[in-house]
Coordinates of all heavy atoms in Angstrom, one line a residue:
L1 N -7.7 -11.8 -49.6 CA -9.0 -11.3 -49.4 C -9.7 -11.1 -50.7 O -9.1 -10.7 -51.6 CB -9.0 -10.0 -48.6 CG -8.5 -10.0 -47.2 CD1 -8.4 -8.6 -46.7 CD2 -9.3 -10.9 -46.3
P2 N -11.0 -11.4 -50.8 CA -11.7 -11.2 -52.0 C -11.8 -9.7 -52.3 O -11.8 -8.8 -51.4 CB -13.2 -11.7 -51.7 CG -13.1 -12.4 -50.5 CD -11.8 -12.0 -49.7
V3 N -11.8 -9.4 -53.6 CA -11.9 -8.0 -54.0 C -13.4 -7.7 -54.3 O -14.0 -8.5 -55.1 CB -11.1 -7.8 -55.3 CG1 -11.2 -6.4 -55.8 CG2 -9.6 -8.1 -55.0
I4 N -13.9 -6.6 -53.8 CA -15.3 -6.2 -54.1 C -15.2 -4.8 -54.7 O -14.7 -3.9 -54.0 CB -16.2 -6.2 -52.8 CG1 -16.1 -7.6 -52.2 CG2 -17.6 -5.8 -53.2 CD1 -16.8 -7.7 -50.8
V5 N -15.7 -4.6 -55.9 CA -15.6 -3.3 -56.6 C -16.9 -2.9 -57.2 O -17.8 -3.8 -57.4 CB -14.5 -3.4 -57.7 CG1 -13.2 -3.7 -57.2 CG2 -14.9 -4.3 -58.8
S6 N -17.1 -1.6 -57.4 CA -18.3 -1.1 -58.0 C -18.2 -1.3 -59.6 O -17.1 -1.6 -60.1 CB -18.6 0.3 -57.7 OG -17.8 1.2 -58.5
D7 N -19.4 -1.2 -60.2 CA -19.4 -1.4 -61.7 C -19.0 -0.1 -62.4 O -19.1 -0.1 -63.6 CB -20.8 -1.9 -62.1 CG -21.9 -0.9 -61.8 OD1 -21.6 0.2 -61.1 OD2 -23.1 -1.1 -62.2
K8 N -18.6 0.9 -61.7 CA -18.1 2.1 -62.4 C -16.6 2.2 -62.5 O -15.9 1.5 -61.7 CB -18.6 3.4 -61.5 CG -20.1 3.5 -61.4 CD -20.7 3.9 -62.7 CE -22.2 4.0 -62.5 NZ -22.9 4.2 -63.8
G9 N -16.1 3.0 -63.4 CA -14.7 3.1 -63.5 C -14.1 1.9 -64.2 O -14.7 1.2 -64.9
G10 N -12.8 1.7 -64.0 CA -12.1 0.7 -64.8 C -12.0 -0.7 -64.1 O -11.5 -1.6 -64.6
M11 N -12.4 -0.7 -62.8 CA -12.3 -2.0 -62.1 C -13.0 -3.2 -62.7 O -12.5 -4.3 -62.6 CB -12.7 -1.8 -60.6 CG -11.7 -0.9 -59.8 SD -9.9 -1.3 -60.1 CE -9.9 -2.9 -59.3
P12 N -14.2 -3.0 -63.2 CA -14.9 -4.2 -63.8 C -14.1 -4.8 -65.0 O -14.2 -5.9 -65.3 CB -16.2 -3.6 -64.3 CG -16.5 -2.5 -63.4 CD -15.1 -1.9 -63.2
E13 N -13.2 -4.0 -65.6 CA -12.3 -4.5 -66.6 C -11.2 -5.4 -66.0 O -10.6 -6.3 -66.7 CB -11.7 -3.4 -67.4 CG -12.7 -2.5 -68.1 CD -12.0 -1.3 -68.8 OE1 -10.8 -1.3 -68.9 OE2 -12.8 -0.4 -69.1
V14 N -10.9 -5.2 -64.8 CA -9.8 -6.0 -64.1 C -10.4 -7.2 -63.3 O -9.7 -8.2 -63.3 CB -9.0 -5.0 -63.2 CG1 -8.0 -5.8 -62.4 CG2 -8.4 -3.9 -63.9
V15 N -11.5 -7.0 -62.7 CA -12.1 -8.0 -61.8 C -13.1 -8.9 -62.6 O -14.0 -8.3 -63.2 CB -12.8 -7.4 -60.6 CG1 -13.5 -8.4 -59.7 CG2 -11.7 -6.6 -59.8
E16 N -12.9 -10.2 -62.6 CA -13.9 -11.1 -63.2 C -14.8 -11.5 -62.1 O -14.4 -12.2 -61.1 CB -13.2 -12.3 -63.8 CG -12.4 -12.0 -65.0 CD -11.9 -13.3 -65.6 OE1 -12.7 -14.1 -66.2 OE2 -10.7 -13.5 -65.5
S17 N -16.1 -11.1 -62.2 CA -17.0 -11.4 -61.1 C -17.1 -12.9 -60.9 O -17.3 -13.7 -61.8 CB -18.4 -10.9 -61.5 OG -19.3 -11.0 -60.4
G18 N -17.0 -13.3 -59.6 CA -17.1 -14.7 -59.2 C -15.8 -15.4 -59.4 O -15.6 -16.6 -58.9
I19 N -14.8 -14.8 -60.0 CA -13.5 -15.5 -60.2 C -12.4 -14.8 -59.5 O -11.7 -15.4 -58.7 CB -13.2 -15.7 -61.7 CG1 -14.3 -16.5 -62.4 CG2 -11.8 -16.2 -61.9 CD1 -14.2 -16.6 -63.9
T20 N -12.2 -13.5 -59.8 CA -11.1 -12.8 -59.1 C -11.7 -11.8 -58.1 O -11.0 -11.0 -57.5 CB -10.2 -12.1 -60.1 OG1 -11.0 -11.2 -60.9 CG2 -9.5 -13.0 -61.0
G21 N -13.0 -11.7 -58.0 CA -13.7 -10.8 -57.1 C -15.1 -10.7 -57.3 O -15.7 -11.6 -58.0
M22 N -15.8 -9.7 -56.8 CA -17.2 -9.5 -57.0 C -17.4 -8.0 -57.3 O -16.7 -7.1 -56.9 CB -17.9 -9.8 -55.7 CG -17.9 -11.3 -55.3 SD -18.8 -11.6 -53.8 CE -17.6 -11.2 -52.6
I23 N -18.5 -7.8 -58.1 CA -18.8 -6.5 -58.6 C -20.2 -6.2 -58.1 O -21.1 -7.0 -58.2 CB -18.8 -6.4 -60.1 CG1 -17.3 -6.8 -60.6 CG2 -19.2 -5.0 -60.6 CD1 -17.2 -7.0 -62.1
F24 N -20.4 -4.9 -57.6 CA -21.7 -4.5 -57.2 C -22.1 -3.2 -57.9 O -21.2 -2.5 -58.5 CB -21.8 -4.2 -55.6 CG -21.0 -3.0 -55.2 CD1 -21.6 -1.8 -55.0 CD2 -19.6 -3.1 -54.9 CE1 -20.9 -0.7 -54.6 CE2 -18.9 -2.0 -54.5 CZ -19.6 -0.8 -54.4
K25 N -23.4 -3.0 -58.0 CA -23.9 -1.9 -58.8 C -23.6 -0.6 -58.0 O -24.0 -0.5 -56.8 CB -25.4 -2.0 -59.0 CG -26.0 -0.9 -59.8 CD -27.5 -1.2 -60.2 CE -28.2 -0.1 -60.8 NZ -27.5 0.5 -62.0
S26 N -23.0 0.4 -58.6 CA -22.6 1.6 -57.9 C -23.8 2.3 -57.4 O -24.9 2.4 -58.0 CB -21.9 2.5 -59.0 OG -21.5 3.7 -58.3
G27 N -23.7 2.7 -56.1 CA -24.8 3.4 -55.4 C -25.8 2.5 -54.8 O -26.7 2.9 -54.0
D28 N -25.7 1.2 -55.1 CA -26.6 0.2 -54.5 C -26.0 -0.4 -53.3 O -25.2 -1.4 -53.3 CB -26.9 -0.9 -55.5 CG -27.9 -1.9 -55.0 OD1 -28.3 -1.9 -53.8 OD2 -28.4 -2.7 -55.9
Y29 N -26.2 0.2 -52.1 CA -25.6 -0.2 -50.9 C -26.0 -1.6 -50.4 O -25.2 -2.3 -49.8 CB -25.8 0.8 -49.8 CG -25.2 2.2 -50.2 CD1 -26.0 3.2 -50.6 CD2 -23.8 2.4 -50.3 CE1 -25.5 4.4 -51.1 CE2 -23.3 3.6 -50.8 CZ -24.1 4.6 -51.1 OH -23.6 5.8 -51.6
Q30 N -27.2 -2.0 -50.8 CA -27.7 -3.3 -50.5 C -26.9 -4.4 -51.3 O -26.5 -5.4 -50.7 CB -29.2 -3.5 -50.7 CG -29.7 -4.8 -50.2 CD -29.5 -5.0 -48.7 OE1 -29.9 -4.1 -47.9 NE2 -29.0 -6.1 -48.4
S31 N -26.6 -4.1 -52.5 CA -25.8 -4.9 -53.3 C -24.4 -5.1 -52.8 O -23.8 -6.2 -52.7 CB -25.7 -4.4 -54.8 OG -24.9 -5.2 -55.6
L32 N -23.8 -4.0 -52.3 CA -22.5 -4.0 -51.7 C -22.6 -4.9 -50.4 O -21.7 -5.7 -50.2 CB -22.0 -2.6 -51.3 CG -20.7 -2.5 -50.5 CD1 -19.6 -3.2 -51.2 CD2 -20.4 -1.1 -50.2
A33 N -23.6 -4.6 -49.6 CA -23.7 -5.4 -48.3 C -23.9 -6.9 -48.6 O -23.3 -7.7 -48.0 CB -24.9 -4.9 -47.5
N34 N -24.6 -7.2 -49.7 CA -24.8 -8.6 -50.1 C -23.5 -9.3 -50.5 O -23.2 -10.4 -50.2 CB -25.8 -8.8 -51.2 CG -27.2 -8.4 -50.8 OD1 -27.5 -8.4 -49.6 ND2 -28.0 -8.1 -51.8
R35 N -22.6 -8.5 -51.2 CA -21.3 -9.0 -51.7 C -20.4 -9.2 -50.5 O -19.7 -10.2 -50.4 CB -20.6 -8.1 -52.6 CG -21.4 -7.8 -53.9 CD -21.6 -9.0 -54.7 NE -22.3 -8.8 -56.0 CZ -23.5 -8.6 -56.2 NH1 -24.4 -8.6 -55.2 NH2 -24.0 -8.3 -57.4
I36 N -20.5 -8.3 -49.5 CA -19.7 -8.5 -48.3 C -20.1 -9.7 -47.5 O -19.3 -10.5 -47.1 CB -19.7 -7.2 -47.4 CG1 -19.0 -6.0 -48.1 CG2 -19.1 -7.4 -46.0 CD1 -19.3 -4.7 -47.5
E37 N -21.4 -9.9 -47.3 CA -21.9 -11.0 -46.6 C -21.6 -12.3 -47.4 O -21.2 -13.3 -46.7 CB -23.4 -10.9 -46.5 CG -23.9 -9.9 -45.4 CD -23.3 -10.2 -44.0 OE1 -23.3 -11.4 -43.6 OE2 -22.9 -9.3 -43.4
S38 N -21.6 -12.3 -48.7 CA -21.3 -13.5 -49.5 C -19.8 -13.8 -49.3 O -19.4 -15.0 -49.2 CB -21.6 -13.2 -51.0 OG -21.2 -14.3 -51.8
A39 N -19.0 -12.8 -49.3 CA -17.5 -13.0 -49.1 C -17.2 -13.6 -47.7 O -16.4 -14.5 -47.6 CB -16.7 -11.7 -49.3
K40 N -18.0 -13.1 -46.7 CA -17.8 -13.7 -45.4 C -18.2 -15.1 -45.3 O -17.6 -15.9 -44.6 CB -18.5 -12.8 -44.4 CG -17.9 -11.5 -44.1 CD -18.7 -10.5 -43.2 CE -19.4 -11.2 -42.1 NZ -20.2 -10.2 -41.3
A41 N -19.4 -15.4 -45.9 CA -20.0 -16.7 -45.8 C -19.4 -17.8 -46.7 O -19.4 -19.0 -46.4 CB -21.5 -16.6 -46.1
N42 N -18.8 -17.4 -47.8 CA -18.3 -18.3 -48.9 C -16.8 -18.5 -48.7 O -16.0 -17.7 -49.2 CB -18.7 -17.8 -50.2 CG -18.4 -18.8 -51.3 OD1 -17.7 -19.8 -51.1 ND2 -18.9 -18.5 -52.5
S43 N -16.4 -19.6 -48.1 CA -15.0 -19.8 -47.9 C -14.2 -20.1 -49.2 O -13.0 -19.9 -49.3 CB -14.7 -21.0 -47.0 OG -15.3 -22.1 -47.5
N44 N -14.9 -20.4 -50.3 CA -14.3 -20.6 -51.6 C -13.6 -19.4 -52.1 O -12.7 -19.5 -52.9 CB -15.3 -21.1 -52.6 CG -15.8 -22.5 -52.3 OD1 -15.1 -23.3 -51.7 ND2 -17.0 -22.8 -52.8
L45 N -14.1 -18.2 -51.7 CA -13.4 -17.0 -52.2 C -12.0 -16.8 -51.7 O -11.2 -16.1 -52.3 CB -14.3 -15.8 -51.8 CG -15.6 -15.7 -52.5 CD1 -16.4 -14.5 -51.9 CD2 -15.5 -15.5 -54.0
A46 N -11.7 -17.4 -50.6 CA -10.4 -17.3 -50.0 C -9.5 -18.5 -50.2 O -8.4 -18.6 -49.8 CB -10.5 -17.0 -48.5
N47 N -10.0 -19.5 -50.9 CA -9.2 -20.7 -51.1 C -8.2 -20.5 -52.2 O -8.1 -19.5 -52.9 CB -10.1 -21.9 -51.4 CG -10.8 -21.9 -52.7 OD1 -10.4 -21.2 -53.6 ND2 -11.7 -22.8 -52.9
K48 N -7.4 -21.6 -52.4 CA -6.3 -21.5 -53.3 C -6.7 -21.2 -54.7 O -6.0 -20.5 -55.4 CB -5.5 -22.8 -53.2 CG -4.2 -22.8 -54.0 CD -3.5 -24.1 -53.8 CE -2.2 -24.1 -54.6 NZ -1.4 -25.3 -54.5
S49 N -7.8 -21.8 -55.2 CA -8.2 -21.6 -56.6 C -8.5 -20.1 -56.8 O -8.2 -19.6 -57.9 CB -9.4 -22.4 -57.0 OG -10.5 -22.1 -56.2
Y50 N -9.1 -19.4 -55.9 CA -9.4 -18.0 -56.0 C -8.1 -17.2 -56.1 O -7.9 -16.4 -57.0 CB -10.2 -17.5 -54.8 CG -10.2 -15.9 -54.8 CD1 -11.2 -15.3 -55.6 CD2 -9.4 -15.2 -54.1 CE1 -11.2 -13.9 -55.6 CE2 -9.4 -13.8 -54.1 CZ -10.3 -13.2 -54.9 OH -10.4 -11.8 -54.9
L51 N -7.1 -17.6 -55.2 CA -5.8 -16.9 -55.3 C -5.1 -17.2 -56.5 O -4.4 -16.3 -57.1 CB -5.0 -17.3 -54.0 CG -5.6 -16.8 -52.7 CD1 -4.8 -17.4 -51.6 CD2 -5.7 -15.3 -52.6
Q52 N -5.2 -18.4 -57.0 CA -4.5 -18.8 -58.3 C -5.1 -18.0 -59.4 O -4.4 -17.5 -60.3 CB -4.7 -20.3 -58.5 CG -4.0 -20.8 -59.7 CD -2.5 -20.7 -59.6 OE1 -1.9 -20.8 -58.6 NE2 -1.8 -20.3 -60.7
N53 N -6.4 -17.9 -59.5 CA -7.1 -17.2 -60.6 C -6.6 -15.7 -60.5 O -6.4 -15.1 -61.6 CB -8.6 -17.3 -60.5 CG -9.1 -18.6 -61.0 OD1 -8.5 -19.2 -61.8 ND2 -10.2 -19.1 -60.4
H54 N -6.6 -15.2 -59.3 CA -6.2 -13.8 -59.2 C -4.8 -13.6 -59.6 O -4.5 -12.6 -60.3 CB -6.4 -13.4 -57.7 CG -6.3 -11.9 -57.5 ND1 -7.3 -11.0 -58.0 CD2 -5.4 -11.2 -56.9 CE1 -6.9 -9.8 -57.6 NE2 -5.8 -9.8 -57.0
S55 N -3.9 -14.4 -59.2 CA -2.5 -14.3 -59.6 C -2.2 -14.5 -61.0 O -1.4 -13.9 -61.6 CB -1.6 -15.2 -58.7 OG -1.8 -16.5 -59.0
N56 N -3.0 -15.4 -61.7 CA -2.9 -15.6 -63.1 C -3.3 -14.3 -63.9 O -2.8 -14.0 -64.9 CB -3.7 -16.8 -63.6 CG -3.1 -18.1 -63.2 OD1 -1.9 -18.1 -62.9 ND2 -3.9 -19.1 -63.2
T57 N -4.3 -13.6 -63.4 CA -4.8 -12.4 -64.0 C -3.8 -11.3 -64.1 O -3.7 -10.6 -65.0 CB -6.1 -11.9 -63.3 OG1 -7.1 -13.0 -63.3 CG2 -6.7 -10.7 -64.0
F58 N -3.0 -11.3 -63.0 CA -2.0 -10.2 -62.9 C -0.6 -10.6 -63.0 O 0.3 -9.9 -62.7 CB -2.2 -9.5 -61.5 CG -3.6 -8.8 -61.4 CD1 -4.6 -9.4 -60.7 CD2 -3.9 -7.7 -62.2 CE1 -5.8 -8.8 -60.6 CE2 -5.1 -7.1 -62.1 CZ -6.1 -7.7 -61.3
S59 N -0.4 -11.8 -63.5 CA 1.0 -12.3 -63.7 C 1.7 -11.4 -64.8 O 1.0 -10.8 -65.6 CB 1.0 -13.8 -64.1 OG 0.6 -13.9 -65.4
S60 N 3.0 -11.4 -64.7 CA 3.7 -10.6 -65.7 C 3.4 -11.1 -67.1 O 3.3 -10.3 -68.1 CB 5.2 -10.6 -65.4 OG 5.7 -11.9 -65.5
H61 N 3.3 -12.4 -67.3 CA 2.9 -13.0 -68.6 C 1.6 -12.5 -69.1 O 1.4 -12.1 -70.3 CB 3.0 -14.5 -68.6 CG 2.8 -15.1 -70.0 ND1 3.8 -14.9 -71.0 CD2 1.8 -15.8 -70.4 CE1 3.3 -15.6 -72.0 NE2 2.1 -16.1 -71.7
A62 N 0.6 -12.5 -68.2 CA -0.8 -12.1 -68.6 C -0.8 -10.6 -68.9 O -1.5 -10.2 -69.9 CB -1.8 -12.4 -67.4
V63 N -0.1 -9.8 -68.2 CA 0.0 -8.4 -68.5 C 0.7 -8.2 -69.8 O 0.2 -7.4 -70.7 CB 0.7 -7.6 -67.3 CG1 1.0 -6.2 -67.7 CG2 -0.1 -7.7 -66.1
Y64 N 1.8 -8.9 -70.1 CA 2.5 -8.8 -71.3 C 1.5 -9.1 -72.5 O 1.5 -8.4 -73.5 CB 3.7 -9.8 -71.4 CG 4.1 -10.1 -72.8 CD1 4.9 -9.2 -73.5 CD2 3.8 -11.3 -73.4 CE1 5.3 -9.4 -74.8 CE2 4.2 -11.6 -74.6 CZ 4.9 -10.7 -75.4 OH 5.3 -10.9 -76.6
L65 N 0.8 -10.2 -72.4 CA -0.2 -10.6 -73.4 C -1.2 -9.6 -73.7 O -1.5 -9.3 -74.9 CB -0.8 -12.0 -73.1 CG 0.1 -13.2 -73.1 CD1 -0.6 -14.4 -72.7 CD2 0.7 -13.4 -74.5
R66 N -1.7 -9.0 -72.7 CA -2.7 -7.9 -72.8 C -2.1 -6.7 -73.5 O -2.7 -6.1 -74.4 CB -3.4 -7.5 -71.5 CG -4.4 -8.6 -71.1 CD -5.3 -8.1 -69.9 NE -4.6 -7.7 -68.7 CZ -4.2 -8.5 -67.8 NH1 -4.4 -9.8 -67.8 NH2 -3.6 -8.0 -66.7
H67 N -0.9 -6.3 -73.1 CA -0.2 -5.2 -73.8 C 0.1 -5.5 -75.2 O -0.1 -4.6 -76.1 CB 1.0 -4.8 -73.0 CG 0.8 -4.0 -71.8 ND1 0.8 -4.6 -70.5 CD2 0.4 -2.7 -71.6 CE1 0.6 -3.6 -69.6 NE2 0.3 -2.5 -70.3
K68 N 0.5 -6.7 -75.5 CA 0.8 -7.1 -76.9 C -0.4 -7.0 -77.7 O -0.4 -6.6 -78.9 CB 1.4 -8.5 -76.9 CG 1.9 -8.9 -78.3 CD 2.5 -10.2 -78.4 CE 2.9 -10.7 -79.8 NZ 2.0 -10.3 -80.9
Q69 N -1.5 -7.5 -77.2 CA -2.8 -7.4 -77.9 C -3.2 -6.0 -78.3 O -3.6 -5.7 -79.4 CB -3.9 -8.1 -77.0 CG -5.1 -8.4 -77.7 CD -6.1 -9.2 -76.8 OE1 -6.1 -8.9 -75.6 NE2 -6.8 -10.1 -77.3
V70 N -3.0 -5.1 -77.3 CA -3.3 -3.7 -77.6 C -2.4 -3.1 -78.6 O -2.7 -2.5 -79.6 CB -3.3 -2.8 -76.3 CG1 -3.3 -1.4 -76.6 CG2 -4.4 -3.2 -75.4
W71 N -1.1 -3.4 -78.5 CA -0.1 -3.0 -79.4 C -0.4 -3.4 -80.8 O -0.3 -2.7 -81.8 CB 1.3 -3.5 -79.0 CG 2.4 -3.2 -80.0 CD1 2.8 -4.0 -81.0 CD2 3.2 -2.0 -80.0 NE1 3.8 -3.4 -81.7 CE2 4.1 -2.2 -81.1 CE3 3.3 -0.9 -79.3 CZ2 5.0 -1.2 -81.5 CZ3 4.2 0.1 -79.6 CH2 5.0 -0.1 -80.7
D72 N -0.7 -4.7 -81.0 CA -1.0 -5.3 -82.3 C -2.2 -4.5 -82.9 O -2.2 -4.2 -84.1 CB -1.3 -6.8 -82.2 CG -0.1 -7.6 -81.9 OD1 1.0 -7.1 -82.0 OD2 -0.2 -8.7 -81.5
V73 N -3.2 -4.3 -82.2 CA -4.4 -3.6 -82.7 C -4.1 -2.1 -83.1 O -4.5 -1.7 -84.2 CB -5.6 -3.6 -81.7 CG1 -6.7 -2.7 -82.1 CG2 -6.1 -5.0 -81.5
V74 N -3.3 -1.4 -82.3 CA -3.0 0.0 -82.5 C -2.0 0.1 -83.6 O -2.1 1.0 -84.5 CB -2.5 0.6 -81.2 CG1 -2.0 2.0 -81.5 CG2 -3.6 0.7 -80.2
M75 N -1.0 -0.7 -83.6 CA 0.1 -0.5 -84.6 C 0.0 -1.3 -85.9 O 0.6 -0.9 -86.9 CB 1.4 -1.0 -83.9 CG 1.8 -0.1 -82.7 SD 1.9 1.7 -83.1 CE 3.3 1.7 -84.2
N76 N -0.9 -2.3 -85.9 CA -1.0 -3.1 -87.1 C -1.3 -2.2 -88.4 O -0.7 -2.5 -89.4 CB -2.1 -4.1 -86.9 CG -1.7 -5.4 -87.7 OD1 -0.6 -5.6 -88.1 ND2 -2.7 -6.3 -87.8
P77 N -2.2 -1.2 -88.4 CA -2.4 -0.4 -89.6 C -1.1 0.3 -90.1 O -1.0 0.5 -91.3 CB -3.5 0.6 -89.1 CG -4.1 -0.1 -88.0 CD -3.1 -0.9 -87.3
F78 N -0.3 0.6 -89.2 CA 0.9 1.4 -89.6 C 2.1 0.5 -90.1 O 3.0 0.9 -90.7 CB 1.5 2.2 -88.4 CG 0.5 3.2 -87.9 CD1 -0.2 3.0 -86.7 CD2 0.2 4.4 -88.6 CE1 -1.1 3.9 -86.3 CE2 -0.7 5.3 -88.2 CZ -1.4 5.0 -87.0
L79 N 2.0 -0.8 -89.8 CA 3.0 -1.7 -90.1 C 2.8 -2.4 -91.5 O 3.6 -3.2 -92.0 CB 3.2 -2.8 -89.0 CG 3.6 -2.3 -87.7 CD1 3.6 -3.4 -86.7 CD2 4.9 -1.6 -87.7
K80 N 1.7 -2.1 -92.1 CA 1.3 -2.7 -93.4 C 1.9 -1.9 -94.5 O 2.1 -0.7 -94.5 CB -0.2 -2.9 -93.6 CG -0.7 -4.0 -92.7 CD -2.2 -4.2 -92.9 CE -2.6 -5.3 -92.0 NZ -4.0 -5.7 -92.2

């Protein structure tokens, strides 16, 4: 199923709009309704490429790379 999240909190950092899900403006119920209608009408959101993009985003390798990136930024000054 497509993921539909608001633009508040940490979810926009996880969801790529149009790739791994859809983002709506918080408090804008018409925007939410539009995203729901779009998900219902657009079969591409449920096809294999959507699922593939979503699984690549959360694969163990992708998570490792993001954690390593943070580690490098945080620890680099201390390792010099």
Side-chain angles (χ1 to χ4, degrees):
L1 294 174
V3 177
I4 303 173
V5 300
S6 77
D7 61 354
K8 298 290 183 187
M11 292 311 297
E13 297 173 14
V14 177
V15 174
E16 287 185 75
S17 189
I19 298 175
T20 59
M22 293 181 276
I23 301 172
F24 71 95
K25 184 172 173 51
S26 181
D28 183 350
Y29 301 105
Q30 187 59 52
S31 175
L32 173 58
N34 291 342
R35 299 302 184 277
I36 293 169
E37 288 299 320
S38 177
K40 286 172 40 179
N42 188 349
S43 64
N44 290 335
L45 292 174
N47 72 13
K48 186 176 179 181
S49 66
Y50 170 82
L51 296 173
Q52 183 65 36
N53 285 328
H54 191 69
S55 65
N56 286 342
T57 301
F58 297 104
S59 72
S60 59
H61 184 69
V63 171
Y64 160 77
L65 291 175
R66 284 194 300 276
H67 280 104
K68 184 181 179 325
Q69 195 174 34
V70 170
W71 174 268
D72 290 345
V73 168
V74 171
M75 294 306 294
N76 215 14
F78 298 106
L79 298 176
K80 289 184 178 183

